[in-house]
Amino acid sequence: MQIIASRICLTALLLCFVPFASYADDLSDDCKSELTSAERNKKLWAVNLTGIAVITAWGVKNWDYFSTSPQATSEGWFQNDTKYGGADKLGHVYTSYVASHGLSYLYESWCINKKDAALYGALSSLAMVTYMELGDSFSDLGFSKEDMISNGVGVLYGYYSYINPELSNTLDLRWEYKPNSETFGDFTTDYENSKFLLALKLNAFNFARDNFLKHVELQVGYYTRGFSNPYAIKERNVFFGIGINLTDLARRHSYNKTATFLKYYQIPGTSVQFTNDLNR
């Protein structure tokens, strides 16, 4: 059930921050002065308390929060005997990363300077996912140190990539999702049709900026199959891919909102992937 919340939060953030992100580079031009300390703190507290309130209400209703004494559990990482083969851990990294960027975009749109917005966005993301994990400890789910470490990795990369444009323009962390007829109605828990990947965009390098290589990106990713079906053959797949740099293509044609969305989402079928099943 925890995964449902992660994906619901992710979907909401993707929808909410795209308008901010599409003009994030121009936010400083629209801000005549920064918020006062009191105004800033009021907005920050409002965002964080709202997030915590939503998590609490959802957790009590759907996850039986506060129904047991606090407990911890070890879920493992990418082993074959874990529940999702590690795909859920990458889901935590990705969700925390996207939440960090989404909140940073939001804070910067409120005329908070970019560096502070990145810090507040990262801390807000960390606060919310930590609270969610603590809530799990008071349910049958239990607190998972592996989930918390994964959340921390996502928040850290979100922060550093937000304050370092060169890193952000070079390396994207994305989620690829291709539903099928059996799982389309429940995409929130559908790791069977999800992939997580890093995309290295060649146009970030001088040698590729003035030739066809500017349209190319190199990818490395991970996904699992068969873990949701006890009768299926389990697969833990690492893949390398060569894709089209759709983010840059959209931005060069002034489709800034589309470009921002594609920074976080990989459209299935837009790359050639070479896969190695670790279970073989």
Side-chain angles (χ1 to χ4, degrees):
M1 295 301 294
Q2 180 179 2
I3 301 163
I4 296 178
S6 299
R7 287 296 172 79
I8 288 173
C9 293
L10 166 61
T11 304
L13 282 165
L14 282 173
L15 294 174
C16 291
F17 75 65
V18 165
F20 299 122
S22 64
Y23 63 88
D25 294 338
D26 301 323
L27 288 175
S28 58
D29 297 333
D30 298 330
C31 296
K32 304 303 180 183
S33 62
E34 292 189 22
L35 297 174
T36 66
S37 179
E39 291 172 332
R40 179 195 63 201
N41 292 339
K42 183 178 180 180
K43 286 178 175 289
L44 293 176
W45 275 109
V47 169
N48 286 275
L49 291 177
T50 299
I52 289 173
V54 170
I55 292 169
T56 302
W58 190 274
V60 170
K61 183 178 185 298
N62 296 282
W63 306 330
D64 298 324
Y65 274 12
F66 313 119
S67 63
T68 68
S69 300
Q71 57 182 321
T73 182
S74 178
E75 295 182 347
W77 290 100
F78 296 88
Q79 299 94 326
N80 202 48
D81 59 354
T82 56
K83 188 173 182 180
Y84 295 105
D88 57 321
K89 300 300 173 269
L90 294 182
H92 277 273
V93 172
Y94 178 73
T95 300
S96 301
Y97 158 75
V98 171
S100 176
H101 274 201
L103 291 165
S104 297
Y105 285 132
L106 176 62
Y107 295 156
E108 194 176 357
S109 76
W110 290 341
C111 295
I112 297 175
N113 70 74
K114 188 180 186 72
K115 188 173 181 180
D116 286 346
L119 177 61
Y120 297 146
L123 291 176
S124 292
S125 174
L126 183 61
M128 292 180 192
V129 295
T130 299
Y131 180 79
M132 189 182 298
E133 202 62 42
L134 289 174
D136 285 350
S137 71
F138 289 90
S139 73
D140 292 335
L141 293 170
F143 179 91
S144 168
K145 66 179 180 180
E146 292 88 355
D147 287 350
M148 268 312 307
I149 292 172
S150 299
N151 290 333
V153 170
V155 168
L156 283 174
Y157 184 63
Y159 172 74
Y160 281 109
S161 59
Y162 195 86
I163 63 173
N164 291 288
E166 288 187 3
L167 176 59
S168 182
N169 293 333
T170 302
L171 198 62
D172 288 349
L173 175 57
R174 299 181 192 150
W175 171 48
E176 179 180 317
Y177 179 65
K178 183 180 180 179
N180 61 37
S181 58
E182 296 180 358
T183 60
F184 181 75
D186 192 22
F187 76 95
T188 56
T189 57
D190 187 13
Y191 284 115
E192 289 296 311
N193 295 292
S194 294
K195 297 179 181 180
F196 297 96
L197 61 103
L198 285 169
L200 180 69
K201 297 176 285 189
L202 297 186
N203 70 335
F205 303 96
N206 289 330
F207 72 86
R209 288 175 180 165
D210 297 321
N211 54 63
F212 76 97
L213 290 176
K214 67 184 178 183
H215 302 296
V216 177
E217 58 185 32
L218 304 179
Q219 303 172 353
V220 59
Y222 180 80
Y223 65 96
T224 60
R225 297 291 183 263
F227 280 79
S228 64
N229 184 346
Y231 303 104
I233 298 175
K234 294 181 178 180
E235 298 179 18
R236 294 177 299 135
N237 298 296
V238 174
F239 69 87
F240 300 91
I242 301 175
I244 304 170
N245 189 343
L246 296 176
T247 304
D248 179 63
L249 183 64
R251 199 171 300 281
R252 284 190 287 107
H253 289 84
S254 300
Y255 295 108
N256 292 329
K257 292 182 176 63
T258 301
T260 300
F261 180 80
L262 294 174
K263 180 177 177 64
Y264 302 94
Y265 177 74
Q266 177 71 33
I267 298 176
T270 56
S271 66
V272 178
Q273 298 175 355
F274 305 92
T275 302
N276 178 39
D277 183 358
L278 299 179
N279 286 353
R280 292 181 180 176

